[in-house]
Amino acid sequence: MLTEARDPVVTYVTGRDQKMLIDGKFVASSTGNVMEVIDPSTGKQIAELPCASDKDVDAAVSAAEAARPAWEAMGVDGRSKCFAKFAELIDQNRERLAMLDAIDCGNPIQAMRADIDLCKPYLNGWPALAKSLTGDVIPASSGNLHYTAHRPYGVVGRITAFNHPAMFAITRPLPSLITGNTLVMKPSEETSLSTLALAELFSEAFPPGVVNIVTGKADTGDAIVTHPKVKRLAFTGSVGTGLVIQRRAAESGNVKHVSLELGGKNAMVVFPDVDLDAAVEGAIFGMSLNVCQGQACGSNSRVMVHSKIHDAFVSLMAEKLGKYRIGLAYDEQTDVGPLVSKAHWDRVMNYVESAVDQGAILVRGGHRPANAPNGGNFLEPALFAGVKPDMRIGREEIFGPVVSVFEWNDYDQMIVQANSVDLGLTASIWTNDLSIAHKTADALDAGYVWVNDSTRHYFGTPFGGTKNSALGREESKDELLTYLEHKVVHTRLGDPKLALDRVLGV
Ligand code: NAD
């Protein structure tokens, strides 16, 4: 069912200046190049954004480099004050940021308000975690003092994906900033509006040059990746781009520390002892259907259901999926908005068609809803059964509202199938038997495993994947340490008795 909506584009976008933030100033691209912003709910162009050139990126990196010594000298306590101010400003701008993401990305407004609220534990958590960092005193040799200390890298380049625009722009830079680094950040060209709104808040809360925001496409990202003064790169996006970034970082001729948060093809394993209703709800929740139309790295896209409950599971899931309201992203009643772009809609549909061609059973959805508003990238959530591991939809990340159900009988074979893809971000296990749950958690090759839950991750627990899904972990002390160079200081103390004699003049 599609719903009516008012037009918030006029309130939040039309007529606003869209400028980048470089050295505390709001600037256009030096070349005058722009890219268009399309509302995915209507297909209409609603704004133009600057495309940063190499020269703009260089200015941003130089500003970040110049701002770094004073920022480092402020210490964790001084920097935490900026975090507190930033958190306050985010609270005040909650509705605007959430609306911009609904308008620009197509995610339902309710979910985007929740995204902004989810930033709080990160805004509070990083300063506390940074404050708790200590070095070590290591008894490496007798008569000497060996200790470790940390120093920031310098300028960090941060490039993000399209699917949680404001949440990424708020939370992802925080560990690099609290450790005394300065930043050049580029959001996805698909969804930059909320990051440019955040530029205003960053500039109010942080000293000039500490946070620089540039917008643009792959070439702007490449200028960050290859810049000789960017020592640390942090990337969230697809595996393909992640590999290019690793290669280009090496080709820059500078050794750079690169961390990558990439894709998922995540398995949800369902045992026959579950409460069917709860497991089906969990499967739909795990798709991140009513948060971002399944465009989520950690969402479950392969649901492996034991044959004893397989048929009942599939029919209940089809019934429940039919109740989700598809509509304009900024409509309060909408559960599922449009996909981010027409190109992405075509890509997802290509998977749907390939699945049908390869013999999977399309149980429901997988087409444009009959009464969808014109021009929007709407897609009725697709449920496939009879999926085999060698089908494209069984192996490749789709990043959309498409879920595949696999039927299994043999536990060992199911584990082999679950682990047969080259991604290993998340997994979830549904059973009432804890020993089976932990045995299976151990067997599944994934970086983050839920038991009787899915999707949620919590500040403090390392998030990331195995295989091609990631290089490094985020949201935890593990990540904080990756924004710091580690230094050992060795002091030769000599013979304490001779030293005492010398000092006392004996
Ligand atoms: P993408 O790889 O197409 O783009 C991501 C970013 O990289 C964008 O800002 C883009 O402009 C930039 N970029 C593209 N080419 C570049 C280049 N050559 N050099 C430098 N920068 C370049 O990804 P996307 O479509 O925005 O996002 C979807 C992907 O992100 C999915 O694979 C998803 O699983 C992944 N993702 C992962 C996580 C995670 O935490 N693991 C979170 C969200 C999304």
Side-chain angles (χ1 to χ4, degrees):
M1 184 182 78
L2 295 168
T3 50
E4 294 290 317
R6 59 209 160 77
D7 183 5
V9 173
V10 175
T11 315
Y12 293 100
V13 184
T14 312
R16 298 216 177 211
D17 235 6
Q18 305 292 347
K19 293 272 170 64
M20 307 187 289
L21 176 65
I22 298 178
D23 202 12
K25 297 176 201 71
F26 294 98
V27 296
S29 161
S30 58
T31 56
N33 284 349
V34 290
M35 55 189 180
E36 52 183 26
V37 179
I38 307 287
D39 176 348
S41 291
T42 62
K44 289 186 186 147
Q45 184 185 330
I46 53 171
E48 282 183 342
L49 304 184
C51 283
S53 63
D54 289 6
K55 194 174 150 205
D56 299 324
V57 169
D58 186 52
V61 174
S62 301
E65 196 185 37
R68 218 239 340 126
W71 179 240
E72 186 187 354
M74 282 170 71
V76 175
D77 287 341
R79 296 192 287 269
S80 299
K81 286 185 187 140
C82 300
F83 274 52
K85 174 75 185 158
F86 187 49
E88 207 180 293
L89 293 169
I90 286 164
D91 257 358
Q92 290 163 12
N93 286 270
R94 175 179 185 258
E95 186 62 16
R96 177 184 173 206
L97 294 168
M99 263 302 179
L100 284 173
D101 278 357
I103 291 166
D104 198 15
C105 190
N107 297 345
I109 178 60
Q110 308 261 24
M112 292 303 90
R113 288 190 191 111
D115 256 22
I116 304 297
D117 296 341
L118 278 172
C119 297
K120 275 185 193 145
Y122 296 79
L123 286 157
N124 298 330
W126 284 120
L129 205 52
K131 193 76 186 157
S132 75
L133 276 189
T134 55
D136 291 317
V137 174
I138 304 163
S141 66
S142 59
N144 297 313
L145 172 65
H146 309 260
Y147 65 87
T148 60
H150 299 129
R151 290 294 309 281
Y153 273 98
V155 181
V156 173
R158 162 60 81 172
I159 298 172
T160 53
F162 75 78
N163 53 328
H164 288 281
M167 187 170 81
F168 286 159
I170 295 167
T171 60
R172 294 305 186 256
L174 300 179
S176 51
L177 292 172
I178 198 66
T179 41
N181 299 279
T182 50
L183 187 79
V184 177
M185 172 160 63
K186 190 195 91 61
S188 164
E189 59 271 42
E190 304 284 2
T191 55
S192 298
L193 283 183
S194 60
T195 306
L196 290 187
L198 279 162
E200 294 167 24
L201 315 189
F202 274 117
S203 84
E204 216 176 315
F206 292 83
V210 168
V211 177
N212 301 275
I213 293 173
V214 293
T215 47
K217 301 184 181 177
D219 54 337
T220 304
D222 187 65
I224 298 173
V225 170
T226 53
H227 199 290
K229 288 183 180 152
V230 174
K231 179 74 180 159
R232 169 79 171 88
L233 283 166
F235 174 71
T236 306
S238 61
V239 175
T241 309
L243 291 170
V244 170
I245 283 176
Q246 273 193 315
R247 175 170 58 76
R248 293 291 290 151
E251 284 170 1
S252 74
N254 303 96
V255 174
K256 296 182 197 293
H257 180 110
V258 181
S259 58
L260 305 170
E261 282 297 329
L262 308 174
K265 187 69 189 173
N266 310 305
M268 168 176 174
V269 176
V270 187
F271 288 87
D273 64 334
V274 290
D275 170 339
L276 190 67
D277 195 73
V280 170
E281 286 289 342
I284 296 174
F285 177 69
M287 286 172 71
S288 295
L289 187 63
N290 59 344
V291 175
C292 47
Q293 297 72 246
Q295 301 165 125
C297 57
S299 65
N300 54 252
S301 56
R302 296 180 296 148
V303 182
M304 316 188 90
V305 185
H306 191 270
S307 58
K308 272 191 192 161
I309 57 165
H310 172 271
D311 293 356
F313 189 99
V314 170
S315 57
L316 186 58
M317 192 161 179
E319 183 193 321
K320 284 182 186 281
L321 282 173
K323 294 186 177 150
Y324 281 74
R325 291 165 302 194
I326 301 171
L328 305 175
Y330 25 82
D331 184 336
E332 299 290 341
Q333 309 306 317
T334 292
D335 298 315
V336 182
L339 301 193
V340 71
S341 66
K342 175 65 170 59
H344 191 53
W345 190 94
D346 289 342
R347 188 176 166 274
V348 174
M349 276 308 291
N350 183 277
Y351 276 107
V352 170
E353 284 153 17
S354 83
V356 173
D357 289 348
Q358 290 189 301
I361 302 156
L362 182 56
V363 180
R364 75 168 309 282
H367 53 79
R368 187 183 291 280
N371 51 348
N374 283 341
N377 313 314
F378 298 98
L379 181 60
E380 192 74 48
L383 170 63
F384 279 99
V387 179
K388 302 281 178 274
D390 56 347
M391 295 176 180
R392 278 183 66 213
I393 58 157
R395 312 196 63 75
E396 296 173 21
E397 184 184 43
I398 300 173
F399 216 58
V402 180
V403 66
S404 305
V405 178
F406 295 63
E407 183 173 356
W408 65 274
N409 268 307
D410 181 279
Y411 177 84
D412 293 330
Q413 270 176 19
M414 178 274 293
I415 293 291
V416 169
Q417 271 189 13
N419 288 340
S420 67
V421 297
D422 62 4
L423 298 168
L425 192 53
T426 71
S428 76
I429 299 158
W430 291 73
T431 175
N432 287 321
D433 187 302
L434 269 185
S435 57
I436 286 180
H438 289 293
K439 175 183 159 71
T440 309
D442 186 47
L444 291 173
D445 194 352
Y448 209 103
V449 182
W450 293 279
V451 176
N452 296 330
D453 204 349
S454 56
T455 293
R456 298 178 177 94
H457 32 115
Y458 296 90
F459 179 76
T461 58
F463 185 80
T466 63
K467 299 188 269 189
N468 279 350
S469 284
L471 187 60
R473 294 292 184 272
E474 292 194 329
E475 306 181 18
S476 58
K477 187 175 172 187
D478 309 56
E479 182 181 13
L480 205 60
L481 289 169
T482 70
Y483 286 102
L484 291 162
E485 298 269 27
H486 300 239
K487 178 185 284 187
V488 171
V489 179
H490 166 115
T491 307
R492 187 163 66 84
L493 298 176
D495 181 336
K497 173 148 189 346
L498 291 180
L500 191 63
D501 290 352
R502 198 167 49 246
V503 169
L504 298 179
V506 177

